[in-house]
Amino acid sequence: MAFRSHYFNLCCFFVMIILFGSCSAQLSSYYYAKTCPKALYIIKTAVLGAVAKESRMGASLLRLHFHDCFVNGCDASVLLDDDDASNFTGEKSAAPNANSVRGLEVIDSIKSKLETACPGVVSCADILAVAARDSVATLGGPTWTVELGRRDSTTASFSNANTDLPSPLMNLDELISVFSKKGFTEKEMVALSGSHTTGKARCLLFRNRIYNETNIDSEFAKSIQSNCPSSGGGDNLSPLDDGSPVIFDNSYFKNLVNNKGLLHSDQALFNGGSMDSQVTTYSENPITFYVDFANAMVKMGNLSVLTGTDGEIRTNCRKVN
């Protein structure tokens, strides 16, 4: 019996090595191949429809995944609603997310379709990861293989959401520190910042830059001021990438080289500092940017994931089971 047990465990070890890389619970691109074979199709179709309806939604879904992963890992904690009855405060009301996190209804719709197709199988965390990838590809950017098998958290952290996410007001050293704490190199930080090649930002986040900062193209500043007055209009929107507001390309880096970064934190990447050369490289080589961005997204998608029996598979992404 001891021999049989040893033989079984040895077989398990080699099978798991072949399939997943180790005998512990791991992510796999084939995770839903048998349990929910239409999962990726359902997510992709929904994302295509949502972006066709509103082009900005692609950026919103990408940002949702980013804001999830940077706070205690990619566990869909960002999707949990506050619950007064249990005195639970989630991450949606934290400063970086309040009145700015979007795409929640799209995720709800995808989850509903998946629950109909294969109840209790596909996690909300995996939906976020795949939707982000499909959004970038839909907008003309790169694609990558999303490893699957994440599970959903049963809690969230309002305090960590306020401290772990980068601010649009940060200087370069502060940005490097925030990304470094999550295990990213400076190069990966610049690549991930390229997500600002699509989407929009609110006037209140860049008002000081366009009126008071000097490392900004004067004509660019004037054009943005027309929609962002020196007082009031804080929720007025302007594209993060003035060159190609919707398409996912390397125009964002071209803007930075020309002092046309919308946010203070954007222009901080190209301001006579250590990242100038990397920004220049991406501004001149879109393929290099695409490859580095895709690799950084795969790395981000693996941050502190819950697998195996940790966490749960939420039936409703907005609340624990």
Side-chain angles (χ1 to χ4, degrees), residues 22 47 112 125 136 152 228 246 276 289 298:
S22 81
V47 170
S112 178
V136 171
D152 302 323
C228 180
V246 176
D276 283 15
F289 164 52
V298 170

Side-chain angles (χ1 to χ4, degrees), residues 125-201:
D126 275 348
I127 294 173
L128 288 175
V130 176
R133 186 270 311 272
D134 291 346
S135 292
V136 171
T138 299
L139 295 174
T143 189
W144 56 90
T145 299
V146 177
E147 300 293 298
L148 303 166
R150 299 168 189 77
R151 288 169 66 84
D152 302 323
S153 69
T154 55
T155 188
S157 177
F158 173 84
S159 59
N160 287 353
N162 276 315
T163 58
D164 290 7
L165 289 164
S167 161
L169 306 179
M170 284 182 171
N171 295 317
L172 180 59
D173 58 341
E174 295 171 312
L175 290 170
I176 291 174
S177 176
V178 168
F179 278 83
S180 177
K181 288 177 181 177
K182 300 300 177 182
F184 291 105
T185 65
E186 295 177 6
K187 178 180 177 181
E188 289 168 335
M189 174 195 71
V190 176
L192 288 174
S193 297
S195 61
H196 283 182
T197 186
T198 186
K200 298 181 179 181

Side-chain angles (χ1 to χ4, degrees), residues 22-64:
S22 81
C23 220
S24 61
Q26 295 287 332
L27 302 184
S28 164
S29 58
Y30 302 104
Y31 192 82
Y32 298 116
K34 291 185 178 180
T35 55
C36 193
K38 292 185 178 180
L40 295 182
Y41 173 78
I42 290 172
I43 298 173
K44 183 176 182 178
T45 301
V47 170
L48 285 170
V51 174
K53 185 177 180 180
E54 182 196 2
S55 59
R56 184 188 174 200
M57 187 53 66
S60 298
L61 292 172
L62 174 58
R63 183 172 184 263
L64 199 54

Side-chain angles (χ1 to χ4, degrees), residues 209-211 216-226:
R209 170 156 170 73
I210 62 174
Y211 283 99
I216 185 169
D217 179 86
S218 59
E219 292 302 314
F220 170 69
K222 289 179 181 177
S223 68
I224 302 299
Q225 287 170 5
S226 65

Side-chain angles (χ1 to χ4, degrees), residues 3-23:
F3 173 78
R4 285 185 179 181
S5 175
H6 174 74
Y7 178 77
F8 177 81
N9 290 334
L10 194 61
C11 287
C12 166
F13 175 79
F14 283 115
V15 169
M16 293 297 286
I17 286 293
I18 292 171
L19 292 178
F20 304 114
S22 81
C23 220

